Coordinates of all heavy atoms in Angstrom, one line a residue:
M1 N 0.8 -1.2 0.0 CA 0.0 0.0 0.0 C 0.9 1.3 0.0 O 0.5 2.2 -0.7 CB -0.9 0.0 1.2 CG -1.9 1.1 1.3 SD -3.1 0.9 -0.1 CE -4.3 2.1 0.4
K2 N 2.0 1.2 0.8 CA 2.9 2.4 0.8 C 3.5 2.6 -0.6 O 3.7 3.8 -1.0 CB 4.0 2.2 1.8 CG 3.5 2.4 3.3 CD 4.7 2.3 4.2 CE 4.2 2.5 5.7 NZ 5.3 2.5 6.6
K3 N 3.8 1.6 -1.3 CA 4.4 1.7 -2.6 C 3.4 2.4 -3.6 O 3.8 3.2 -4.4 CB 4.8 0.4 -3.2 CG 6.1 -0.2 -2.5 CD 6.5 -1.5 -3.2 CE 7.7 -2.0 -2.5 NZ 8.2 -3.2 -3.1
V4 N 2.1 2.0 -3.5 CA 1.1 2.6 -4.3 C 1.0 4.1 -4.0 O 0.9 4.9 -4.9 CB -0.2 1.9 -4.2 CG1 -1.4 2.6 -4.9 CG2 -0.1 0.4 -4.6
L5 N 0.9 4.4 -2.8 CA 0.8 5.8 -2.4 C 2.0 6.6 -2.8 O 1.9 7.8 -3.2 CB 0.5 6.0 -0.9 CG -0.9 5.4 -0.4 CD1 -1.0 5.5 1.1 CD2 -2.0 6.2 -1.0
S6 N 3.2 6.0 -2.7 CA 4.4 6.7 -3.1 C 4.4 6.9 -4.6 O 4.7 8.0 -5.1 CB 5.6 5.9 -2.7 OG 5.7 5.8 -1.3
G7 N 3.9 5.9 -5.3 CA 3.8 6.1 -6.8 C 2.8 7.2 -7.2 O 3.1 8.0 -8.1
I8 N 1.7 7.2 -6.5 CA 0.7 8.3 -6.8 C 1.3 9.7 -6.5 O 1.2 10.6 -7.3 CB -0.6 8.0 -6.0 CG1 -1.3 6.8 -6.6 CG2 -1.5 9.3 -6.1 CD1 -2.4 6.3 -5.8
A9 N 2.0 9.8 -5.4 CA 2.6 11.0 -5.0 C 3.7 11.5 -6.0 O 3.7 12.7 -6.4 CB 3.3 10.9 -3.6
V10 N 4.5 10.5 -6.5 CA 5.5 10.9 -7.5 C 4.8 11.4 -8.8 O 5.2 12.4 -9.4 CB 6.4 9.6 -7.8 CG1 7.3 9.9 -9.0 CG2 7.3 9.4 -6.6
V11 N 3.8 10.7 -9.3 CA 3.1 11.1 -10.5 C 2.5 12.5 -10.3 O 2.6 13.3 -11.2 CB 2.0 10.0 -10.9 CG1 1.1 10.6 -12.0 CG2 2.6 8.7 -11.3
A12 N 1.9 12.7 -9.2 CA 1.3 14.0 -8.9 C 2.4 15.1 -8.9 O 2.1 16.2 -9.5 CB 0.6 14.0 -7.6
M13 N 3.5 14.9 -8.4 CA 4.6 15.9 -8.4 C 5.1 16.1 -9.8 O 5.4 17.3 -10.1 CB 5.7 15.4 -7.5 CG 5.4 15.5 -6.0 SD 6.6 14.8 -4.9 CE 8.2 15.4 -5.5
L14 N 5.2 15.1 -10.6 CA 5.6 15.3 -12.0 C 4.7 16.1 -12.8 O 5.0 16.9 -13.6 CB 5.9 13.9 -12.6 CG 7.1 13.1 -12.1 CD1 7.1 11.7 -12.8 CD2 8.4 13.9 -12.4
C15 N 3.4 15.9 -12.5 CA 2.3 16.7 -13.2 C 2.5 18.1 -12.8 O 2.3 19.0 -13.6 CB 1.0 16.1 -12.9 SG 0.6 14.5 -13.7
L16 N 2.7 18.4 -11.5 CA 2.8 19.7 -11.0 C 4.0 20.4 -11.6 O 4.0 21.5 -12.1 CB 2.9 19.7 -9.5 CG 3.1 21.1 -8.9 CD1 1.9 22.0 -9.2 CD2 3.2 21.0 -7.4
V17 N 5.2 19.7 -11.7 CA 6.4 20.3 -12.2 C 6.2 20.6 -13.7 O 6.6 21.6 -14.2 CB 7.6 19.3 -12.0 CG1 8.8 19.7 -12.8 CG2 7.9 19.2 -10.5
G18 N 5.5 19.7 -14.4 CA 5.3 19.9 -15.8 C 4.4 21.1 -16.1 O 4.7 21.9 -17.0
S19 N 3.4 21.4 -15.3 CA 2.6 22.6 -15.5 C 3.3 23.8 -15.1 O 3.2 24.9 -15.7 CB 1.3 22.4 -14.7 OG 1.5 22.5 -13.3
V20 N 4.2 23.8 -14.1 CA 5.0 24.9 -13.7 C 6.0 25.3 -14.8 O 6.1 26.5 -15.2 CB 5.7 24.7 -12.4 CG1 6.7 25.8 -12.1 CG2 4.7 24.7 -11.2
S21 N 6.6 24.3 -15.4 CA 7.6 24.6 -16.4 C 6.9 25.1 -17.7 O 7.5 26.0 -18.3 CB 8.4 23.3 -16.8 OG 7.6 22.4 -17.4
R22 N 5.7 24.7 -18.0 CA 5.0 25.2 -19.1 C 4.6 26.7 -18.9 O 4.7 27.5 -19.8 CB 3.7 24.4 -19.3 CG 2.7 25.0 -20.4 CD 3.3 25.2 -21.7 NE 3.9 24.0 -22.3 CZ 4.8 24.1 -23.4 NH1 5.1 25.2 -23.9 NH2 5.2 23.0 -23.9
A23 N 4.3 27.1 -17.6 CA 4.0 28.5 -17.3 C 5.3 29.3 -17.5 O 5.2 30.4 -18.0 CB 3.5 28.6 -15.9
Q24 N 6.4 28.8 -17.2 CA 7.7 29.5 -17.4 C 7.9 29.6 -18.9 O 8.4 30.7 -19.3 CB 8.8 28.8 -16.7 CG 8.7 28.8 -15.2 CD 9.7 27.9 -14.5 OE1 10.3 27.0 -15.1 NE2 9.9 28.1 -13.2
D25 N 7.7 28.6 -19.7 CA 7.9 28.7 -21.1 C 7.0 29.8 -21.7 O 7.4 30.5 -22.6 CB 7.6 27.4 -21.8 CG 8.6 26.3 -21.4 OD1 9.6 26.6 -20.9 OD2 8.2 25.1 -21.7
T26 N 5.7 29.8 -21.2 CA 4.8 30.8 -21.7 C 5.3 32.2 -21.4 O 5.2 33.1 -22.2 CB 3.4 30.5 -21.2 OG1 3.0 29.2 -21.6 CG2 2.4 31.5 -21.7
A27 N 5.7 32.4 -20.2 CA 6.2 33.7 -19.8 C 7.4 34.2 -20.6 O 7.5 35.3 -21.0 CB 6.6 33.7 -18.3
N28 N 8.4 33.2 -20.8 CA 9.5 33.5 -21.7 C 9.0 33.8 -23.1 O 9.6 34.7 -23.8 CB 10.5 32.4 -21.7 CG 11.3 32.3 -20.4 OD1 11.4 33.3 -19.6 ND2 11.7 31.1 -20.1
G29 N 8.1 33.1 -23.6 CA 7.5 33.2 -24.9 C 6.9 34.6 -25.1 O 7.0 35.2 -26.1
E30 N 6.2 35.1 -24.1 CA 5.5 36.4 -24.1 C 6.6 37.5 -24.3 O 6.5 38.4 -25.1 CB 4.7 36.6 -22.9 CG 4.0 38.0 -22.9 CD 3.1 38.2 -21.7 OE1 3.1 37.4 -20.7 OE2 2.4 39.2 -21.7
K31 N 7.7 37.3 -23.5 CA 8.8 38.3 -23.6 C 9.4 38.3 -25.0 O 9.6 39.3 -25.6 CB 9.9 38.0 -22.6 CG 9.5 38.3 -21.2 CD 10.6 37.9 -20.2 CE 10.1 37.9 -18.8 NZ 11.1 37.3 -17.8
G32 N 9.7 37.1 -25.5 CA 10.2 36.9 -26.8 C 9.3 37.5 -27.9 O 9.8 38.2 -28.9
Y33 N 8.0 37.2 -27.8 CA 7.0 37.6 -28.8 C 7.0 39.2 -28.8 O 7.1 39.8 -29.9 CB 5.6 37.1 -28.5 CG 4.6 37.7 -29.5 CD1 4.5 37.1 -30.7 CD2 3.9 38.8 -29.1 CE1 3.6 37.7 -31.7 CE2 3.0 39.3 -30.1 CZ 2.9 38.8 -31.3 OH 2.0 39.3 -32.2
K34 N 6.9 39.8 -27.6 CA 6.9 41.2 -27.6 C 8.1 41.9 -28.1 O 8.0 42.9 -28.8 CB 6.6 41.7 -26.1 CG 5.2 41.4 -25.7 CD 4.9 41.9 -24.3 CE 3.5 41.6 -23.9 NZ 3.2 42.0 -22.5
A35 N 9.3 41.2 -27.9 CA 10.5 41.8 -28.4 C 10.7 41.6 -29.9 O 11.3 42.5 -30.6 CB 11.7 41.2 -27.6
K36 N 10.3 40.5 -30.4 CA 10.7 40.1 -31.8 C 9.5 40.1 -32.8 O 9.7 40.2 -34.0 CB 11.3 38.7 -31.8 CG 12.5 38.5 -31.0 CD 13.7 39.1 -31.6 CE 14.9 38.7 -30.8 NZ 16.1 39.2 -31.4
C37 N 8.3 40.0 -32.3 CA 7.1 39.7 -33.2 C 6.0 40.8 -33.2 O 5.4 41.0 -34.2 CB 6.5 38.4 -32.9 SG 7.7 37.0 -32.8
A38 N 5.8 41.3 -32.0 CA 4.6 42.2 -31.8 C 4.7 43.4 -32.7 O 3.6 44.0 -33.1 CB 4.5 42.6 -30.4
G39 N 5.8 43.9 -33.1 CA 5.9 45.1 -33.9 C 5.2 45.0 -35.2 O 4.6 45.9 -35.7
C40 N 5.2 43.8 -35.8 CA 4.6 43.5 -37.1 C 3.2 42.8 -36.9 O 2.3 43.1 -37.7 CB 5.5 42.7 -38.0 SG 7.0 43.6 -38.5
H41 N 3.2 41.9 -36.0 CA 2.0 41.1 -35.9 C 1.0 41.5 -34.8 O -0.1 40.9 -34.6 CB 2.4 39.6 -35.6 CG 3.1 39.0 -36.8 ND1 2.5 38.5 -37.9 CD2 4.4 38.8 -37.0 CE1 3.4 38.1 -38.7 NE2 4.5 38.2 -38.2
G42 N 1.3 42.6 -34.1 CA 0.4 43.2 -33.1 C 0.6 42.6 -31.8 O 1.0 41.5 -31.6
A43 N 0.2 43.4 -30.8 CA 0.3 42.9 -29.4 C -0.5 41.7 -29.1 O -0.1 40.9 -28.2 CB -0.1 44.1 -28.4
D44 N -1.6 41.5 -29.8 CA -2.4 40.3 -29.6 C -2.3 39.3 -30.6 O -3.0 38.3 -30.7 CB -3.9 40.8 -29.5 CG -4.4 41.4 -30.8 OD1 -3.6 41.6 -31.7 OD2 -5.6 41.7 -30.8
A45 N -1.3 39.4 -31.5 CA -0.9 38.5 -32.6 C -2.0 38.3 -33.6 O -2.0 37.4 -34.4 CB -0.6 37.1 -32.0
A46 N -2.9 39.3 -33.6 CA -4.0 39.3 -34.6 C -3.6 39.7 -36.0 O -4.4 39.6 -36.9 CB -5.2 40.1 -34.1
G47 N -2.4 40.2 -36.1 CA -1.9 40.7 -37.4 C -2.2 42.2 -37.6 O -2.9 42.8 -36.8
K48 N -1.6 42.7 -38.6 CA -1.8 44.1 -39.0 C -2.0 44.2 -40.5 O -1.1 44.2 -41.3 CB -0.6 45.0 -38.6 CG -0.4 45.1 -37.1 CD 0.8 46.1 -36.8 CE 1.0 46.3 -35.3 NZ 2.1 47.3 -35.1
P49 N -3.3 44.3 -40.9 CA -3.6 44.3 -42.3 C -2.9 45.4 -43.1 O -2.5 45.1 -44.2 CB -5.1 44.5 -42.3 CG -5.6 43.9 -41.0 CD -4.5 44.3 -40.1
A50 N -2.7 46.5 -42.5 CA -2.0 47.6 -43.2 C -0.6 47.3 -43.5 O -0.1 47.8 -44.5 CB -2.1 48.9 -42.4
M51 N 0.0 46.4 -42.7 CA 1.4 46.0 -43.0 C 1.4 44.7 -43.7 O 2.5 44.1 -44.0 CB 2.1 45.9 -41.7 CG 2.4 47.1 -40.9 SD 3.3 46.9 -39.4 CE 4.9 46.4 -40.0
K52 N 0.3 44.1 -44.0 CA 0.2 42.8 -44.7 C 0.8 41.7 -43.8 O 1.4 40.8 -44.3 CB 0.7 42.8 -46.1 CG 0.0 43.7 -47.0 CD 0.6 43.7 -48.4 CE -0.2 44.7 -49.2 NZ 0.3 44.8 -50.6
S53 N 0.7 41.9 -42.5 CA 1.2 40.9 -41.5 C 0.0 40.1 -41.0 O -1.0 40.6 -40.4 CB 1.9 41.6 -40.3 OG 3.0 42.2 -40.8
P54 N 0.0 38.8 -41.2 CA -1.1 37.9 -40.8 C -1.2 37.6 -39.3 O -0.2 37.8 -38.6 CB -0.8 36.6 -41.6 CG 0.7 36.5 -41.6 CD 1.1 38.0 -41.8
S55 N -2.3 37.2 -38.9 CA -2.5 36.7 -37.6 C -1.6 35.5 -37.4 O -1.5 34.6 -38.3 CB -4.0 36.3 -37.3 OG -4.1 35.6 -36.1
I56 N -1.0 35.4 -36.2 CA -0.2 34.2 -35.9 C -0.6 33.5 -34.6 O 0.1 32.7 -34.1 CB 1.3 34.5 -35.9 CG1 1.7 35.6 -34.9 CG2 1.8 34.9 -37.3 CD1 3.2 35.9 -34.8
K57 N -1.8 33.8 -34.2 CA -2.4 33.2 -33.0 C -2.4 31.7 -33.2 O -2.8 31.2 -34.2 CB -3.8 33.7 -32.7 CG -3.9 35.1 -32.2 CD -5.3 35.4 -31.9 CE -5.4 36.9 -31.5 NZ -6.8 37.2 -31.1
G58 N -1.9 31.0 -32.2 CA -2.0 29.5 -32.2 C -1.0 28.8 -33.1 O -1.0 27.6 -33.3
K59 N 0.0 29.6 -33.7 CA 1.0 28.9 -34.6 C 1.9 28.0 -33.7 O 2.2 28.3 -32.6 CB 1.8 30.0 -35.3 CG 1.0 30.8 -36.3 CD 0.5 30.0 -37.5 CE -0.2 30.8 -38.5 NZ -0.8 30.1 -39.5
T60 N 2.3 26.9 -34.3 CA 3.2 26.0 -33.7 C 4.6 26.3 -33.9 O 4.9 27.2 -34.7 CB 2.9 24.5 -34.2 OG1 3.4 24.5 -35.6 CG2 1.5 24.1 -34.1
A61 N 5.5 25.7 -33.1 CA 6.9 25.9 -33.3 C 7.3 25.6 -34.7 O 8.2 26.3 -35.3 CB 7.7 25.2 -32.3
D62 N 6.8 24.5 -35.3 CA 7.1 24.1 -36.7 C 6.6 25.2 -37.6 O 7.4 25.5 -38.6 CB 6.4 22.8 -37.0 CG 7.1 21.6 -36.4 OD1 8.3 21.7 -35.9 OD2 6.5 20.5 -36.3
D63 N 5.4 25.7 -37.4 CA 4.9 26.8 -38.3 C 5.9 28.0 -38.3 O 6.2 28.5 -39.3 CB 3.6 27.3 -37.9 CG 2.5 26.2 -38.0 OD1 2.6 25.3 -38.8 OD2 1.5 26.4 -37.2
I64 N 6.3 28.4 -37.1 CA 7.2 29.5 -36.9 C 8.5 29.3 -37.6 O 9.1 30.1 -38.3 CB 7.4 29.9 -35.4 CG1 6.0 30.3 -34.8 CG2 8.4 31.0 -35.3 CD1 6.0 30.4 -33.3
N65 N 9.1 28.1 -37.4 CA 10.4 27.8 -38.0 C 10.3 27.8 -39.5 O 11.3 28.2 -40.2 CB 10.9 26.4 -37.5 CG 11.5 26.5 -36.1 OD1 12.2 27.5 -35.8 ND2 11.3 25.5 -35.3
K66 N 9.2 27.3 -40.1 CA 9.1 27.3 -41.5 C 9.1 28.7 -42.1 O 9.7 29.0 -43.1 CB 7.8 26.5 -42.0 CG 7.9 25.1 -41.8 CD 6.6 24.4 -42.1 CE 6.6 22.9 -41.8 NZ 5.3 22.3 -41.9
V67 N 8.4 29.6 -41.4 CA 8.3 31.0 -41.9 C 9.7 31.7 -41.8 O 10.1 32.3 -42.7 CB 7.2 31.8 -41.2 CG1 7.3 33.2 -41.5 CG2 5.8 31.2 -41.5
I68 N 10.3 31.4 -40.6 CA 11.6 32.1 -40.4 C 12.6 31.6 -41.5 O 13.4 32.4 -42.0 CB 12.1 31.8 -39.0 CG1 11.3 32.5 -37.9 CG2 13.6 32.1 -38.9 CD1 11.6 32.1 -36.5
A69 N 12.6 30.3 -41.8 CA 13.5 29.7 -42.7 C 13.2 30.2 -44.2 O 14.2 30.3 -45.0 CB 13.5 28.2 -42.7
S70 N 12.0 30.4 -44.5 CA 11.7 30.7 -45.9 C 11.4 32.1 -46.3 O 11.3 32.5 -47.4 CB 10.4 29.8 -46.3 OG 9.3 30.3 -45.6
S71 N 11.2 33.0 -45.3 CA 10.8 34.4 -45.6 C 12.0 35.4 -45.4 O 12.5 35.5 -44.3 CB 9.6 34.8 -44.7 OG 9.4 36.2 -44.8
P72 N 12.3 36.1 -46.4 CA 13.4 37.1 -46.3 C 13.0 38.2 -45.2 O 13.9 38.8 -44.6 CB 13.5 37.7 -47.7 CG 12.9 36.8 -48.6 CD 11.9 36.0 -47.8
K73 N 11.7 38.4 -45.0 CA 11.3 39.4 -44.1 C 11.7 39.0 -42.6 O 11.8 39.8 -41.7 CB 9.8 39.6 -44.1 CG 9.2 40.3 -45.3 CD 7.8 40.7 -45.2 CE 6.9 39.6 -45.0 NZ 5.5 39.9 -45.0
H74 N 11.9 37.7 -42.4 CA 12.1 37.2 -41.1 C 13.6 36.8 -40.9 O 13.9 36.0 -40.0 CB 11.2 36.0 -40.8 CG 9.8 36.4 -40.7 ND1 8.9 36.3 -41.8 CD2 9.0 36.9 -39.7 CE1 7.7 36.8 -41.4 NE2 7.8 37.1 -40.2
A75 N 14.5 37.3 -41.8 CA 15.9 36.9 -41.7 C 16.5 37.2 -40.4 O 17.4 36.4 -39.9 CB 16.7 37.5 -42.9
G76 N 16.1 38.3 -39.8 CA 16.7 38.7 -38.5 C 16.3 37.8 -37.3 O 16.9 37.8 -36.3
L77 N 15.3 36.9 -37.6 CA 14.9 36.0 -36.5 C 15.6 34.6 -36.5 O 15.3 33.8 -35.7 CB 13.3 35.8 -36.6 CG 12.5 37.0 -36.5 CD1 11.0 36.7 -36.7 CD2 12.7 37.7 -35.2
K78 N 16.4 34.4 -37.5 CA 17.2 33.1 -37.6 C 18.1 32.9 -36.4 O 18.5 31.8 -36.2 CB 17.9 33.1 -38.9 CG 17.0 33.0 -40.1 CD 17.7 32.8 -41.4 CE 16.7 32.7 -42.5 NZ 17.2 32.4 -43.8
S79 N 18.3 33.9 -35.6 CA 19.2 33.8 -34.5 C 18.4 33.2 -33.3 O 19.0 32.9 -32.3 CB 19.8 35.1 -34.1 OG 18.8 36.0 -33.7
L80 N 17.1 33.1 -33.4 CA 16.3 32.5 -32.3 C 16.6 31.0 -32.1 O 16.8 30.3 -33.1 CB 14.8 32.6 -32.6 CG 14.1 34.0 -32.5 CD1 12.7 33.9 -33.0 CD2 14.2 34.5 -31.1
T81 N 16.8 30.6 -30.9 CA 17.1 29.2 -30.6 C 15.8 28.4 -30.7 O 14.7 29.0 -30.7 CB 17.7 29.0 -29.2 OG1 16.6 29.4 -28.2 CG2 18.9 29.9 -29.0
A82 N 15.9 27.1 -30.8 CA 14.8 26.2 -30.8 C 13.9 26.4 -29.6 O 12.7 26.4 -29.7 CB 15.2 24.8 -31.0
D83 N 14.5 26.6 -28.4 CA 13.8 26.8 -27.2 C 13.0 28.1 -27.2 O 11.9 28.2 -26.7 CB 14.7 26.7 -26.0 CG 15.1 25.3 -25.6 OD1 14.4 24.3 -26.1 OD2 16.1 25.1 -24.9
E84 N 13.6 29.1 -27.8 CA 12.9 30.4 -27.8 C 11.7 30.3 -28.8 O 10.7 30.9 -28.4 CB 13.9 31.5 -28.3 CG 14.9 31.9 -27.3 CD 16.0 32.8 -27.9 OE1 16.4 32.6 -29.1 OE2 16.5 33.7 -27.1
V85 N 11.9 29.6 -29.9 CA 10.7 29.4 -30.8 C 9.6 28.6 -30.1 O 8.4 29.0 -30.2 CB 11.2 28.8 -32.1 CG1 10.0 28.4 -33.0 CG2 12.1 29.7 -32.9
K86 N 10.0 27.6 -29.4 CA 9.0 26.8 -28.6 C 8.3 27.6 -27.6 O 7.1 27.5 -27.4 CB 9.7 25.6 -28.0 CG 10.1 24.5 -28.9 CD 10.8 23.4 -28.2 CE 11.3 22.4 -29.2 NZ 12.0 21.3 -28.5
D87 N 9.0 28.5 -26.9 CA 8.4 29.4 -25.9 C 7.4 30.4 -26.6 O 6.3 30.6 -26.0 CB 9.5 30.2 -25.2 CG 10.4 29.3 -24.3 OD1 10.0 28.2 -24.0 OD2 11.4 29.8 -23.8
I88 N 7.8 30.9 -27.7 CA 6.9 31.8 -28.4 C 5.7 31.1 -28.8 O 4.6 31.6 -28.7 CB 7.6 32.5 -29.6 CG1 8.7 33.5 -29.0 CG2 6.6 33.2 -30.5 CD1 9.6 34.1 -30.1
A89 N 5.8 29.9 -29.4 CA 4.7 29.1 -29.8 C 3.8 28.8 -28.6 O 2.6 28.8 -28.7 CB 5.1 27.8 -30.5
A90 N 4.4 28.5 -27.4 CA 3.6 28.2 -26.2 C 2.8 29.4 -25.8 O 1.6 29.3 -25.5 CB 4.5 27.8 -25.0
Y91 N 3.4 30.6 -25.9 CA 2.7 31.9 -25.7 C 1.5 32.1 -26.7 O 0.4 32.4 -26.3 CB 3.6 33.0 -25.7 CG 2.9 34.4 -25.6 CD1 2.2 34.7 -24.5 CD2 2.9 35.2 -26.7 CE1 1.5 35.9 -24.4 CE2 2.2 36.5 -26.6 CZ 1.6 36.8 -25.5 OH 0.9 38.0 -25.4
L92 N 1.8 31.9 -28.0 CA 0.8 32.1 -29.0 C -0.4 31.1 -28.8 O -1.5 31.5 -29.1 CB 1.4 31.9 -30.4 CG 2.4 32.9 -30.8 CD1 3.0 32.5 -32.2 CD2 1.7 34.3 -30.9
G93 N -0.1 30.0 -28.2 CA -1.2 29.0 -28.0 C -2.1 29.5 -26.9 O -3.2 28.9 -26.7
T94 N -1.7 30.4 -26.0 CA -2.6 30.9 -25.0 C -3.5 32.0 -25.4 O -4.4 32.4 -24.7 CB -1.7 31.5 -23.8 OG1 -1.0 32.6 -24.2 CG2 -0.8 30.4 -23.3
L95 N -3.2 32.6 -26.6 CA -4.0 33.7 -27.1 C -5.3 33.3 -27.7 O -5.4 32.3 -28.4 CB -3.2 34.5 -28.1 CG -1.9 35.1 -27.6 CD1 -1.2 35.8 -28.7 CD2 -2.1 36.0 -26.4
K96 N -6.4 34.0 -27.4 CA -7.7 33.6 -28.0 C -8.1 34.5 -29.1 O -7.8 35.6 -29.2 CB -8.8 33.8 -26.9 CG -8.5 33.0 -25.6 CD -8.8 31.5 -25.9 CE -8.6 30.8 -24.6 NZ -8.4 29.4 -24.7

């Protein structure tokens, strides 16, 4: 019985740690988004039609990497690390 309770406690702690680390990723992503993306895509990631910048709400890290790799407009973003892109995608996933 003690082993079962210990196992449940370990699983619960891992779930808690996972959710805390996701919150940290989202916070870092918000900072990265505001510094690198908001100027063109807007504070709420809804895009800016006058600049022909699309909405990027909910974009995945893969989506972001494809655009950075293929668009000359995003050449300055090639210095973003994979973790920074994942953080920005985590933040974009929180936007409604």
